[in-house]
Amino acid sequence: MQTELSTTLGVEHAVFGFTPFPAVAAAISRAGGFGVLGAVRYTAPDDLARDLDWIDAHVGGLPYGLDVVMPAAKVEGVREADAEAMIPAGHRQFVQDTLAKYGVPELPAGEAAGWRITGWMEQVARRQLDVAFDHPIALLANALGSPPADVVARAHEQGVLVAALAGSARHARKHRDAGIDVVVAQGYEAGGHTGEIASMVLTPEVVEEVHPLPVLAAGGIGSGQQVAAALALGAQGVWLGSVWLTTTEADLHSPALTRKLLAATSSDTVRSRALTGKPARQLRTDWTDAWDDPDGPGTLPMPLQGLLVADAVSRIQRYEVEPLLGTPVGQIVGRMTTERSVREVFDDLTRGFERAVDRLNRVAGRSGR
């Protein structure tokens, strides 16, 4: 599964794996893919530095990347404390009422919420970049729009490629004009923040729009056959995120959440603003239903929604309150039925890819098998 882009980056397979877990990112790179660590949960630069040091020690010199979130539309110049003050009292009460309805206990005294979304704020992402550029990252990805011009220039000065996710050909064109090196065409099926166009339609549109820039296909991909389809549509690789959540290297800290993921079908996700304020595909739960209920207060814009629900999400996760317990995940969750190692996932991807290519060769009359 090699393409011009994978060759440029020095990886065996054109499989780019996004994950919040350092152990998964390192395992992806060791398996022949390109691991990309999500940085949004790192509010303390020292924590990110520690985990990047760990990756450096466990990839054997193989390349990896970092994904940050620098929203194109943001609360300009607002500190976290200022943003907290902008959250209406009615929204805070709605959170407390919903938690009380399900009997969710408070966090123990002195235990802070471990799920903070200050990483959606540009000043936090910039501190993450200061750490990242002290490490041998080969790719910097931004999940929400093109990074600021100075960030793109800084990355290029250090020989780091810059990628950005796009949910439409119009977004992809903006990335190209901003000097982005790699465009990730993320379809409607994807987990996390995603647009409204399905991968089968979006990928060739983006490929045509930004040619000759390399495009990675994302959204609903979890098999080798789908990798082959993405390359047939003109992509130079695939960007996978959800499929790693149920790998043995993942550290969800929640057996209940793992069970929910393994039991979910492709119909058990929803695009909701409940988590961050922007549409993000996630497991459908009583929590997402509460926020999407037209009788509720409605969600707040990013980053206010993430700040509002941070404590609540930590409580739900800590006590594994199953009706409310969820996570960002794509429609591919329906294929995630067993726990496997990252290496086993790659073995399945490569076998499926070979079968798909053989099948196409037979259709085209190019194989005697």
Side-chain angles (χ1 to χ4, degrees), residues 1-38 52 55-56 58-59 61-68 132 135-142 159-165 181-182 184 216-217 227 236-244 342-343 345-346 349-350:
M1 298 188 289
Q2 283 199 330
T3 64
E4 183 179 348
L5 178 61
S6 65
T7 300
T8 297
L9 288 168
V11 296
E12 183 179 359
H13 302 301
V15 174
F16 293 71
F18 165 82
T19 174
F21 306 117
V24 176
I28 291 168
S29 290
R30 291 197 305 270
F34 187 95
V36 181
L37 179 67
L52 290 179
I55 291 176
D56 291 341
H58 288 83
V59 294
L62 295 167
Y64 69 93
L66 189 75
D67 178 281
V68 297
H135 291 77
I137 62 169
L139 178 78
L140 174 68
N142 189 47
V160 176
L161 295 181
V162 180
L165 277 63
D181 304 294
V182 180
V184 181
L216 300 176
V227 176
Q236 286 202 30
V238 293
W239 178 275
L240 309 184
S242 298
V243 73
W244 315 113
V342 168
R343 173 64 69 178
V345 172
F346 265 90
L349 290 172
T350 54

Side-chain angles (χ1 to χ4, degrees), residues 172-196:
R173 183 168 61 251
K174 289 182 177 180
H175 294 335
R176 179 200 62 199
D177 295 345
I180 300 304
D181 304 294
V182 180
V183 177
V184 181
Q186 179 167 277
Y188 171 83
E189 310 94 325
H193 296 111
T194 187
E196 299 180 349

Side-chain angles (χ1 to χ4, degrees), residues 18 20-21 186-194 219-221 240-247 252 257-258 260-272 275 279-285 288 325-337:
F18 165 82
F21 306 117
Q186 179 167 277
Y188 171 83
E189 310 94 325
H193 296 111
T194 187
I221 301 173
L240 309 184
S242 298
V243 73
W244 315 113
L245 288 173
T246 51
T247 56
L252 287 177
L257 180 55
T258 299
K260 290 187 75 170
L261 287 169
L262 295 175
T265 72
S266 297
S267 299
D268 292 329
T269 68
V270 63
R271 285 174 76 243
S272 172
L275 195 61
R281 185 171 297 284
Q282 54 203 278
L283 280 181
R284 182 173 182 173
T285 66
T288 62
L325 187 62
T327 185
V329 69
Q331 291 180 335
I332 196 62
V333 70
R335 292 181 60 96
M336 296 157 49
T337 57

Side-chain angles (χ1 to χ4, degrees), residues 89-111:
H91 282 72
R92 294 192 185 277
Q93 188 62 51
F94 179 77
V95 169
Q96 293 307 314
D97 291 346
T98 304
L99 295 175
K101 177 181 176 181
Y102 290 88
V104 183
E106 296 279 353
L107 292 174
E111 182 174 322

Side-chain angles (χ1 to χ4, degrees), residues 1 222-229 335 340 344-363 367 369:
M1 298 188 289
S223 72
Q225 293 90 331
Q226 291 169 309
V227 176
R335 292 181 60 96
R340 299 178 293 169
E344 288 173 318
V345 172
F346 265 90
D347 288 345
D348 183 61
L349 290 172
T350 54
R351 285 194 298 265
F353 180 82
E354 290 169 355
R355 288 194 298 268
V357 171
D358 285 346
R359 187 181 306 119
L360 291 175
N361 281 334
R362 289 197 299 273
V363 170
S367 172
R369 285 183 284 176

